[in-house]
Structures are given as C-alpha cells and as structure tokens.
Amino acid sequence: MVDPSDAIGKARAAVTQRAELPGMSLMEHLEELRKRIVRSAIYLAVGFIIAWVFRDRFVTFIQAPLNHIGKSLVFTHPMDPLNLQLQVSLVCGAILASPFILFQVWLFIAPGLYQKERRFVVPFMTATVGLFLGGASFG
C-alpha cells in the first residue's frame, strides 16, 4: 500500500523540479516554433535538391518493375513527366531529410520534458528513424 505522505512528497518534488525549469512566454514559444519550422523547411529543400540531382536514377528505379515485364509508364498529359520527377524528388528529399527534421522536432519539445522523460529520447529517435526508413524502403 502507498503511504499518502509519500505521494504528496513526490508531487511536491515534481512541482519544485518543474518550477526550476526556465519558462518561456507565448511569443518566445512561437519564435522557437518558427525557427524550427524554417530549419525543417531548409532541410527539406536541401533534400529535394539532392534528390533532384539523382532524379533520373530514382525514376529508372521506379520504372524497373514495369520494364521487367515489357511495359512502360503512360503519360496522359504533357506535364506528367515533369510532375513525376518533381514528386519523386520531393518524396526522396523528405526521406533524406527526415532524421534532421525529427531532430528539429526534438529540439522544440526537449525543453519542456523532465530529466526522466529525456532518457527515452535515444531509443525513441532510433526507433522512429529506423522504422521510417524501413517503411519507406518497403514502400
């Protein structure tokens, strides 16, 4: 059975620990969020540019199963080849940038976590990135 005075002591310790964390105003939170979103967009743009350089290889990789059975992609609109290259580059760029974007998410939420909660970050980030990349390769 749990002693009520022990539970109250734990609650007081948690409140004290939380009170000692540096606080941020609403505007500071919004500025931090904007900074993380802008950096994530930059990482996505860099990933897109890298994927755009290798777009022909990615499109060839996508077409390989069709070529194997003697078929080819059919484009019904003049812009479809460009749209395919843009979409492939964007998806591959997002896959390349995903670890960096997830790190920005972590940097945004980390200041609000207790020390006990922060110890779960390494396994969580490893599992998140590994499962995302595994799912992307499977897809």
Side-chain angles (χ1 to χ4, degrees), residues 37-53:
I37 289 173
V38 167
R39 287 185 181 172
S40 296
I42 290 170
Y43 289 132
L44 181 61
V46 169
F48 175 80
I49 291 169
I50 292 169
W52 181 258
V53 171

Side-chain angles (χ1 to χ4, degrees), residues 25-100:
S25 70
L26 176 63
M27 291 306 293
E28 290 172 333
H29 278 289
L30 292 176
E31 288 173 10
E32 180 73 15
L33 179 62
R34 179 181 53 188
K35 181 172 75 169
R36 299 298 168 202
I37 289 173
V38 167
R39 287 185 181 172
S40 296
I42 290 170
Y43 289 132
L44 181 61
V46 169
F48 175 80
I49 291 169
I50 292 169
W52 181 258
V53 171
F54 298 104
R55 71 187 179 278
D56 294 328
R57 290 184 185 179
F58 293 137
V59 171
T60 303
F61 179 74
I62 290 171
Q63 288 178 335
L66 288 175
N67 292 339
H68 183 69
I69 61 172
K71 305 283 184 182
S72 64
L73 290 175
V74 176
F75 299 112
T76 59
H77 191 270
M79 290 299 294
D80 284 347
L82 177 63
N83 286 338
L84 176 68
Q85 291 179 348
L86 287 172
Q87 288 177 356
V88 166
S89 297
L90 184 62
V91 169
C92 291
I95 290 170
L96 288 173
S98 66
F100 303 105

